[in-house]
């Protein structure tokens, strides 16, 4: 007996067809628990995610906990609190969270809320929608009890005011490949993506970011995050699972 697929799930599973063949070929009956994330600051995020798993949390709990780490780090200027603002001085955040059967939630252009990844999860679990943006996302977060905070730190504001002296704005595709410091260094990133996998092969993923420094107001990185999460989820969804793990 088959069940219908919701529009939300269809969005998440749309990329699965191209990945199904390779994923099945690489499938194993027993996969190890694993957490992976992007960039050097991802190590702390991985540790937080694994700790949540070891405490009995779900895969979604794990990737959310991992995302909290860079979101709360004022020294990280590409994610959450302390992120560089847009050209008008507003810190705006984008985030997505997703499981491996296509359930997802996302926010874009969110202001005044540190943990955008948690708002994204609330969108997934508490609304019939896939994404909320801007003021609507902020109002929803506050209604759900999240704390309103000023995200622009003195260090980030200083960098923004320095940028205003020239106000040069020339986005370059894949600019991270031209930055100094080596692949994966602190200078070689623009967001964090994190994936967690259980022993049964199930997966969940999340991305969270403050986006491009000094971007035009309203610019969002959510399309890239959606693509990353959808591809990762699709690869897992195509993976055969032991009968005990199937529903």
């Amino acid at each position: 007996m088959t069940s219908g697929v919701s529009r939300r799930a269809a969005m998440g599973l749309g990329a699965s067809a191209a990945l199904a063949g390779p994923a099945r070929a690489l499938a194993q009956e027993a996969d190890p628990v694993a957490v992976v994330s992007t960039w050097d600051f991802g190590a702390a995020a991985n540790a937080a995610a694994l700790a949540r798993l070891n405490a009995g949390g779900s895969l979604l709990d794990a990737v959310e906990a991992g995302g909290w780490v860079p979101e709360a780090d004022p020294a990280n200027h590409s994610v959450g609190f302390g992120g560089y603002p847009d050209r008008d001085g507003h810190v705006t955040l984008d985030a997505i969270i997703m499981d491996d059967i296509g359930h997802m939630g996302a926010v874009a252009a969110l202001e005044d809320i540190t943990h955008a990844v948690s708002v994204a999860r609330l969108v997934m679990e508490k609304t019939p929608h896939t994404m909320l943006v801007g003021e609507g996302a902020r109002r929803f977060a506050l209604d759900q009890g999240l704390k309103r905070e000023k995200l622009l730190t003195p260090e980030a504001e200083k960098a923004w005011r320095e940028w205003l002296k020239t106000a040069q704005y020339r986005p370059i595709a894949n600019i991270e490949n031209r930055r100094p410091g080596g692949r994966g260094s602190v200078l070689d990133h623009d967001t964090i993506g994190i994936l967690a996998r259980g022993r049964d092969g199930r997966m969940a993923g999340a991305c969270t970011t403050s986006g491009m420094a000094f971007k035009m107001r309203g610019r969002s990185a959510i399309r890239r995050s959606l693509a990353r999460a959808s591809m990762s989820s699709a690869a897992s969804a195509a993976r055969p699972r032991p009968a005990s793990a199937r529903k």
Side-chain angles (χ1 to χ4, degrees), residues 88-169:
D88 295 335
H90 302 273
V91 179
T92 61
L93 309 179
D94 306 319
I96 180 172
I97 194 167
M98 190 175 187
D99 65 20
D100 64 355
I101 58 173
H103 299 125
M104 71 167 71
V107 291
L110 174 69
E111 297 184 45
D112 301 333
I113 306 293
T114 295
H115 293 301
V117 70
S118 294
V119 187
R121 184 172 182 181
L122 288 168
V123 171
M124 179 179 70
E125 295 180 342
K126 302 293 186 179
T127 82
H129 306 300
T130 298
M131 181 167 63
L132 296 177
V133 302
E135 177 60 19
R138 175 169 58 180
R139 288 170 54 189
F140 171 73
L142 294 173
D143 288 346
Q144 295 298 314
L146 276 74
K147 181 181 177 182
R148 184 170 184 168
E149 299 178 276
K150 180 181 178 181
L151 302 183
L152 184 63
T153 62
E155 185 178 357
E157 182 176 5
K158 180 180 179 181
W160 169 62
R161 294 194 180 280
E162 184 66 27
W163 174 82
L164 285 175
K165 294 177 181 179
T166 60
Q168 291 185 358
Y169 183 73

Side-chain angles (χ1 to χ4, degrees), residues 13-27 230-231 233-240:
L13 295 174
S16 63
L19 297 174
R24 289 195 182 99
L26 294 173
S230 295
M231 291 177 67
S233 176
S236 177
R239 185 187 296 268

Side-chain angles (χ1 to χ4, degrees), residues 87 163 166-173 175 178 212-214 216:
R87 65 195 309 168
W163 174 82
T166 60
Q168 291 185 358
Y169 183 73
R170 294 194 298 270
I172 301 172
I175 192 172
R178 307 184 187 184
M212 181 185 296
F214 322 128
M216 292 181 67

Side-chain angles (χ1 to χ4, degrees), residues 203-221:
M203 292 182 71
C207 291
T208 180
T209 181
S210 56
M212 181 185 296
F214 322 128
K215 61 200 174 191
M216 292 181 67
R217 185 144 174 80
R219 186 265 184 185
S220 172

